[in-house]
Amino acid sequence: MLSLVASPLALAAAENASRRAPANIAVWILVWAELTEFALFFLVLLVVRAHNPDVFAAGPGQLNTLAGLVNTLLLLTSSFCVARGVAAMQQGRARRCLHWLGGTLLIGAAYLGVKGWEYQWNAAAGFDSRTNVFFTLYYYLTFNHLLHVLVGMCTIGWAMARTHWGHFNAREHEGLEGAACYWHMIDLVWILIFPLLYVLR
Amino acid sequence: MLNRELLVSVWLLLLAVTLISALLADVSASGAVPVLLVCAAAAIKGKLVVEYLVGLAGVKGAIRRSMLAYFYVLAPLIALGWLFPEVVIRLTSL
């Protein structure tokens, strides 16, 4: 597995050495603002957990770990789809790009479906945002993240429309890169939410 | 240029690391080693996404450094906060 990955990774780093960062500085400021917001809530979670160890020791075991795991796999796969879409546009293949972005939207919809099922599962088990401070933070973080997924889906949808209208080509596709960066930000945040809420005991 | 082989390899690696993390949650209730492993897995996943799916691998400048720093700082901070809650309490009590 490692040898399968190591050589393409080294090759990519060498190829990118003279390349500019994707999108533009305004997109990166937005991405950083969003990441900072979530980082502050991660720190709040650490503080609240330290003051409420019993509630946080029991919390992850009361959640639907399968739903968290499936949504993690879905988001990672959606990031892969977005990256494939950008790669297709870099080769001037607009139709292929549209297919990959469409896949991203479908996976985003699947994420929303799994999240809805998870919230219903919680309700059936008698848990809501007022159960205890663990569930308050769980609902705040996950619902806030869900709203970002919705915004990301709108952004990808707009990038699809512009791709369909021929606004992007192999040389000029900064708007597509911006939408892709926003979507990757959503995935990056979930990479930390998953262990904090579902895995660490 | 993001090539197909690279993206597929990174995607598979991300899925594998995620499944290992979830397995850790099932087999071990608590302790320093699982916490360190789970936080290391999150940092590795963050690096893989930032470098290869976002496409910042090898790109020079503050954008790549700051994105990587997000995981290199937060993941160890989460591990420390998880393992030493008494320090967090001391720092946040009036």
Side-chain angles (χ1 to χ4, degrees), chain A residues 41-125:
Chain A
F41 282 110
F42 298 152
L43 296 180
V44 167
L45 188 145
L46 280 181
V47 172
V48 176
R49 174 192 174 266
H51 288 271
N52 302 272
D54 295 338
V55 170
F56 275 75
Q62 295 166 323
L63 293 180
N64 188 331
T65 309
L66 177 64
L69 175 63
V70 170
N71 266 344
T72 307
L73 299 177
L74 284 173
L75 284 176
L76 291 170
T77 304
S78 71
S79 258
F80 166 73
C81 288
V82 167
R84 289 296 301 269
V86 172
M89 185 54 76
Q90 286 171 345
Q91 296 167 338
R93 303 168 77 177
R95 278 184 66 84
R96 184 165 285 263
C97 173
L98 275 176
H99 290 155
W100 283 110
L101 295 183
T104 305
L105 278 188
L106 280 178
I107 295 172
Y111 166 93
L112 296 178
V114 171
K115 189 52 72 184
W117 167 60
E118 183 182 352
Y119 284 167
Q120 281 192 333
W121 190 89
N122 288 343

Side-chain angles (χ1 to χ4, degrees), chain A residues 8-9 12 15-17 19 22 28 32 35 39 49-51 72 76-77 80 84 87 90 184 188 191 195 200-201, chain B residues 1-2 4 6-7 10-11 18 29 38 42 52-58 63 66-67 70-71 77 82 85 89 92-93:
Chain A
L9 297 192
E15 283 180 353
N16 279 359
R19 212 171 64 94
W28 287 108
W32 250 99
L35 289 174
R49 174 192 174 266
H51 288 271
T72 307
L76 291 170
T77 304
F80 166 73
R84 289 296 301 269
Q90 286 171 345
H184 289 308
L188 288 170
I191 283 174
L200 292 173
R201 306 290 160 97
Chain B
M1 183 72 69
L2 302 163
R4 180 174 172 274
L6 166 76
L7 293 176
V10 168
W11 174 54
T18 300
V38 167
Y52 304 106
L53 298 189
V54 179
L56 290 173
I63 291 174
S66 64
M67 291 299 289
Y70 191 78
F71 286 90
L77 203 60
W82 219 265
I89 291 172
T92 55
S93 296

Side-chain angles (χ1 to χ4, degrees), chain B residues 12 20 23 33 35 41 47-48 63 75 88 93:
Chain B
L12 292 176
I20 292 167
L23 192 67
V33 174
V35 170
K47 177 182 168 61
L48 286 171
I63 291 174
V88 178
S93 296

Side-chain angles (χ1 to χ4, degrees), chain A residues 135-157:
Chain A
F135 276 95
T136 303
L137 275 172
Y138 157 83
Y139 275 103
Y140 189 87
L141 270 173
T142 57
F143 192 72
N144 195 353
H145 183 265
L146 183 150
L147 293 178
H148 283 78
V149 172
L150 283 172
V151 172
M153 288 175 73
C154 293
T155 310
I156 293 293

Side-chain angles (χ1 to χ4, degrees), chain A residues 46, chain B residues 36 39-40 43 69-83:
Chain A
L46 280 181
Chain B
L36 292 172
C39 289
Y70 191 78
F71 286 90
Y72 291 166
V73 171
L74 269 184
L77 203 60
I78 289 168
L80 287 173
W82 219 265
L83 294 173

